[in-house]
Amino acid sequence: MTQTSAKKLWEPSEEQLKMAALTQYMNWLNEQKGLAFTSYHDLYQWSVTELATFWGTMWDYFNIQSTKPYQEVLAKEEMPGAVWFPNTELNYTEHVFRNSGPRDAIIYASELRRQETITWDELEKQVAAFAAALKENGIHKGDRVAAYISNIHEAVIAFLACASLGVIWSSCSPEFGSQSVIDRFKQIEPKLLIAVDGYRYGGKDFNRMDTVHAIQAAIPSIKKTVLIPYLVQGEELVINKTETDWDAFLSPHLGKPLNYERVPFDHPLWILFSSGTTGIPKAIVQGHGGILLEHLKALSLHTNLDKKDRFFWYTTTGWMMWNFLVGGLLTGSSIILYDGNPVYPDPNRLWRLAEETEMTVFGTSAGFLTQCMKSGITPGQSFDLSQLKAIGSTGSPLPPSGFEWVYQEVKEDLLLASASGGTDVCSAFILGCPILPVYSGELQCRGLGCSIEAFDEKGEKTSEIGELVLTKPIPSMPIYFWNDPDGERYKDSYFDKYPGIWRHGDYLQVTERGGCIIYGRSDATINRGGVRMGTSEIYSAVEKLPEVRDSLIVDIHLEDDRSVMPLFVVLEEGEGLEEDLMRRIRQVIRENCSPRHVPTDIIEVSDIPRTINGKKLEVPVKKILTGVPIDKAANPGSLSNPETLNLFVELGLELGTIK
């Protein structure tokens, strides 16, 4: 698809343009600052040229509450090391509860629980009680709380309580196996663990108490565990004096007021984890102020959320989209949580939820939308989606056929906002825009305040496909990595190729319209259903099996909407790839990593391509498997075993990934 051939699928009406939050912001800029802009692209160019002025208007427009007004927006404009809004003090949770009353704050449902709601007033009451319980148990500002928890309302309550105190939150989905969780949480030494006893997915129950006890045993910093009886309601879970259940922890404190600990702008709000591609996952620390401003911008201006909206994103607590979804509360929107298989008992499950909840914004992954398309369902005909005004898509590039399916089979008049960003900033660099048209296969715009370009190998701006880079800082960039005192791991992660320029790891082209096309990751992260996992975690699981000597896995998304995830294994001498071994490989990945990361194919090979210093060649193998010539995919001179590359050309033909 060329840039000019993309089909226009939607454009806002005059009324939609007038009512859009972006239009209201532009009017405010004109009235309050004397700044007039006639188009989104003019506004964008100003926002990245006058970076400090733009972010100052975000503070003013959203009326950020601080102990004292800001005197300076950007005291130090460099990457890494930018200093935003020095000497200000604020609190994320305080801004959430500027919204109150009997309206619905959270609507939640799961395979285990019927659909229910919590009002703003009830949410505030429970957050206050949980915060008081934390204080009574010696959890204070700067301490860490880790949650091994499903996407349920208790997770939101606990997070907001932590943030109200300046306690640092980190969460992980219970579908992750024990070692994956320990690799994450052990780094940050949490004092308190919150955990569900299990979960249900696709109609099957998964008890996780053995994993909970393994986490407790492996992380001595955990002094107390709050257990949520989610899988088995009413059953006694507590087995030792360091454990308590949710109700026993919370109930004695109901009725206590919610107080806020105002903290410096860059005080840690939460710790997110990278997918662990090249080792244990990186512990990414983001601050109260940076996340607050970025989420208000992205959710209010780009997602067009306000108090009338009901905002949903299908996610788990181990993906940054959970944090982004919770950010919807900052806008006064109701947020909708769902825990379970999105296509169980049938592919209409989430569309049915959209009707039942009168959902206005439906967020999901590109994989889910293409799965719905392939299943032949027609949500627009089957359900009342009259309230639905936007669909968000992320996790991987949505193909043009996916765009067209949405407008044909879901709804003609809605904003399809395909977005691209990352855990690293807990937001999107490239976003939807309610005042711009939607073109097939194209992301609408670069986000306000995000100086995004495509760079070639020489580090120069290109109109062709190049590396996605940020040439200027944004407030939600990591303030640091945990246990990275000299900042070297942080620098190596983003600034190794272009010093002072953030390289994100996506292939990007900026179109002549100012939109963007993402051509996939330029690293080796595995992405299944929007859940990212590093290859090292899969290797760790597979290579525990005595028959497996070595392994390599790649995730390939093809132009015809197919995706394959082959696992290549080198077996010990005398072993064969029998059906029993393949079953055990799948089982160990399912149990130690997640069910989503079970490979589509398991293939025996004689050797795994490696560099001279022993690094597996994941990205070059992925390129070769999709038809890139060997000499363009890898430098054979840097390999210890270059002869192995030829095998992957043959395997690409067998797998059908090379045409």
Side-chain angles (χ1 to χ4, degrees), residues 134 138-147 162 166-170 185-194 221-224 268-271 273 285 480 482-483:
L134 288 172
I139 309 297
H140 304 294
K141 181 173 73 173
D143 291 336
R144 278 78 62 205
V145 166
C162 288
V167 172
I168 306 167
W169 169 266
S170 191
F185 289 162
K186 192 169 186 177
Q187 297 181 60
I188 65 173
E189 299 179 297
K191 277 190 177 180
L192 183 130
L193 174 69
I194 305 165
S221 63
I222 296 172
K223 305 304 181 187
K224 196 173 194 70
L269 174 64
W270 54 46
I271 299 171
F273 289 94
V285 186
Y480 50 80
W482 201 263
N483 288 334

Side-chain angles (χ1 to χ4, degrees), residues 368-417:
F368 172 79
L369 293 175
T370 54
Q371 188 175 4
C372 288
M373 177 180 66
K374 292 173 187 176
S375 71
I377 63 172
T378 55
Q381 296 178 33
S382 304
F383 302 99
D384 178 3
L385 303 179
S386 56
Q387 300 302 310
L388 192 63
K389 69 177 187 180
I391 289 179
S393 172
T394 192
S396 60
L398 181 66
S401 58
F403 275 76
E404 290 164 20
W405 177 83
V406 166
Y407 285 101
Q408 290 167 5
E409 303 297 350
V410 180
K411 196 175 183 182
E412 290 183 354
D413 183 20
L414 57 70
L415 170 65
L416 175 54

Side-chain angles (χ1 to χ4, degrees), residues 307-511:
K307 292 182 178 181
K308 299 186 294 296
D309 284 301
R310 295 189 164 203
F311 175 46
F312 170 74
W313 212 286
Y314 178 75
T315 183
T316 72
T317 59
W319 188 22
M320 57 134 294
M321 293 310 300
W322 182 84
N323 306 70
F324 193 74
L325 171 62
V326 173
L329 294 170
L330 294 167
T331 71
S333 298
S334 305
I335 63 170
I336 301 169
L337 314 178
Y338 183 75
D339 183 56
N341 187 324
V343 294
Y344 178 83
D346 59 70
N348 279 313
R349 179 63 190 97
L350 296 185
W351 303 108
R352 192 176 298 114
L353 181 70
E355 178 185 74
E356 293 167 352
T357 60
E358 298 184 320
M359 191 184 293
T360 62
V361 178
F362 184 128
T364 185
S365 65
F368 172 79
L369 293 175
T370 54
Q371 188 175 4
C372 288
M373 177 180 66
K374 292 173 187 176
S375 71
I377 63 172
T378 55
Q381 296 178 33
S382 304
F383 302 99
D384 178 3
L385 303 179
S386 56
Q387 300 302 310
L388 192 63
K389 69 177 187 180
I391 289 179
S393 172
T394 192
S396 60
L398 181 66
S401 58
F403 275 76
E404 290 164 20
W405 177 83
V406 166
Y407 285 101
Q408 290 167 5
E409 303 297 350
V410 180
K411 196 175 183 182
E412 290 183 354
D413 183 20
L414 57 70
L415 170 65
L416 175 54
S418 183
S420 181
T423 299
D424 321 79
V425 295
C426 198
S427 188
F429 304 122
I430 303 167
L431 292 141
C433 180
I435 64 173
L436 287 176
V438 174
Y439 289 89
S440 180
E442 189 171 307
L443 289 69
Q444 285 177 288
C445 66
R446 292 169 286 182
L448 293 175
C450 295
S451 183
I452 298 289
E453 301 291 352
F455 268 23
D456 61 21
E457 287 295 316
K458 297 178 181 177
E460 296 175 355
K461 178 179 172 181
T462 176
S463 60
E464 302 300 318
I465 300 170
E467 288 273 3
L468 189 161
V469 300
L470 277 84
T471 63
K472 296 182 180 181
I474 61 173
S476 68
M477 284 177 173
I479 49 178
Y480 50 80
F481 288 172
W482 201 263
N483 288 334
D484 182 30
D486 58 3
E488 285 305 309
R489 199 176 186 202
Y490 186 8
K491 290 177 186 176
D492 290 346
S493 296
Y494 310 112
F495 306 102
D496 60 335
K497 189 167 186 178
Y498 312 113
I501 301 290
W502 173 295
R503 181 180 71 94
H504 191 61
D506 281 330
Y507 290 126
L508 165 75
Q509 185 173 26
V510 180
T511 73

Side-chain angles (χ1 to χ4, degrees), residues 57 136 142 186 217 233 295 355 381 388 451 521 534 558 631:
T57 69
E136 185 180 78
K186 192 169 186 177
Q233 298 291 323
H295 283 188
E355 178 185 74
Q381 296 178 33
L388 192 63
S451 183
R521 296 291 290 171
L558 302 168
D631 61 348

Side-chain angles (χ1 to χ4, degrees), residues 60 73 111 114 133 257 264 310 351:
D60 298 339
V73 173
E111 290 188 29
R114 72 175 189 269
R310 295 189 164 203
W351 303 108

